[in-house]
Amino acid sequence: KAGVTQTPRYLIKTRGQQVTLSCSPISGHRSVSWYQQTPGQGLQFLFEYFSETQRNKGNFPGRFSGRQFSNSRSEMNVSTLELGDSALYLCASSLDWTGAGNTIYFGEGSWLTVV
Amino acid sequence: GQNIDQPTEMTATEGAIVQINCTYQTSGFNGLFWYQQHAGEAPTFLSYNVLDGLEEKGRFSSFLSRSKGYSYLLLKELQMKDSASYLCAVLMNRDDKIIFGKGTRLHILP
């Protein structure tokens, strides 16, 4: 059974640009969550999607957005990139929505560097 | 606000036992996860505790005390491959979010 797949794995962008990251969850999983990981702040929750609807949102500005498709694949977008957006972006999938207490399984992440 | 505390770094010797503590103050509590993350890799699931007590899974055990807002991860018979960061995370029942601590970087010495 394939794990959570994220693309691209590494990317470099310039300040002011926008970026789209993609996540394919484990087959059969309907919930996808996104996290930002930095050395200083650790893992911070961005948002969760379940059945194509955003169920939950963290404390990030509106520049961060996402969506989920009918096949449960998800994308997140960051517009008007800032230097501080440089981080590892992790996608995690679970069988059901997070509140049900299901284990979340992480992908390898997308390393974003903003220059 | 939400607060999850764990030590930043710990060092232990191969073959020994180490206990990584985690304390939390959160708005509501459903359960507590432990994840392991090797440098440059994805976090991998270790355990999920909902009820008070100790749960053993091979060399790893996890303990929870809901009344004290406290958990620990116990690693026995340490191996070099156990060098990693260990993340404590709380599932909050108020808004169904999982909040992570900043992680404990564990160094294993030969």
Side-chain angles (χ1 to χ4, degrees), chain A residues 37 40 56-57 97-98 104 107, chain B residues 35 37 42 95-97 102:
Chain A
Q37 188 174 33
N56 236 327
K57 193 176 188 313
W97 50 283
T98 304
I104 60 171
Chain B
Y35 279 83
Q37 186 177 24
D95 53 13
D96 293 340
K97 288 180 184 174
K102 293 187 178 179

Side-chain angles (χ1 to χ4, degrees), chain B residues 32-53:
Chain B
L32 187 143
F33 292 93
W34 283 98
Y35 279 83
Q36 179 192 60
Q37 186 177 24
H38 286 101
E41 297 183 13
T44 54
F45 170 78
L46 290 177
S47 65
Y48 179 55
N49 292 64
V50 175
L51 302 175
D52 285 0

Side-chain angles (χ1 to χ4, degrees), chain A residues 40-103:
Chain A
Q41 298 299 318
L43 263 167
Q44 292 187 287
F45 172 73
L46 281 156
F47 25 67
E48 178 190 7
Y49 286 88
F50 179 76
S51 293
E52 301 179 65
T53 302
Q54 187 181 88
R55 281 204 81 249
N56 236 327
K57 193 176 188 313
N59 298 323
F60 278 81
R63 299 186 296 110
F64 292 80
S65 63
R67 59 178 174 167
Q68 187 181 33
F69 302 96
S70 58
N71 61 358
S72 294
R73 193 176 69 84
S74 176
E75 288 181 347
M76 70 161 279
N77 185 275
V78 189
S79 62
T80 322
L81 283 165
E82 301 176 359
L83 295 179
D85 297 332
S86 296
L88 175 65
Y89 289 87
L90 289 162
C91 168
S93 78
S94 61
L95 205 56
D96 212 332
W97 50 283
T98 304
N102 296 131
T103 300

Side-chain angles (χ1 to χ4, degrees), chain B residues 34-106:
Chain B
W34 283 98
Y35 279 83
Q36 179 192 60
Q37 186 177 24
H38 286 101
E41 297 183 13
T44 54
F45 170 78
L46 290 177
S47 65
Y48 179 55
N49 292 64
V50 175
L51 302 175
D52 285 0
L54 183 70
E55 291 200 8
E56 299 186 66
K57 203 184 284 186
R59 294 190 300 116
F60 292 11
S61 302
S62 55
F63 172 84
L64 176 66
S65 168
R66 294 175 69 128
S67 62
K68 294 181 179 172
Y70 168 67
S71 173
Y72 68 72
L73 181 70
L74 192 71
L75 291 74
K76 303 176 188 173
E77 300 167 19
L78 285 170
Q79 301 175 9
M80 297 303 293
K81 67 178 182 179
D82 297 329
S83 291
S85 286
Y86 291 86
L87 308 172
C88 169
V90 169
L91 172 60
M92 301 193 297
N93 63 4
R94 193 189 69 164
D95 53 13
D96 293 340
K97 288 180 184 174
I98 298 177
I99 304 298
F100 281 81
K102 293 187 178 179
T104 299
R105 198 157 45 236
L106 177 64

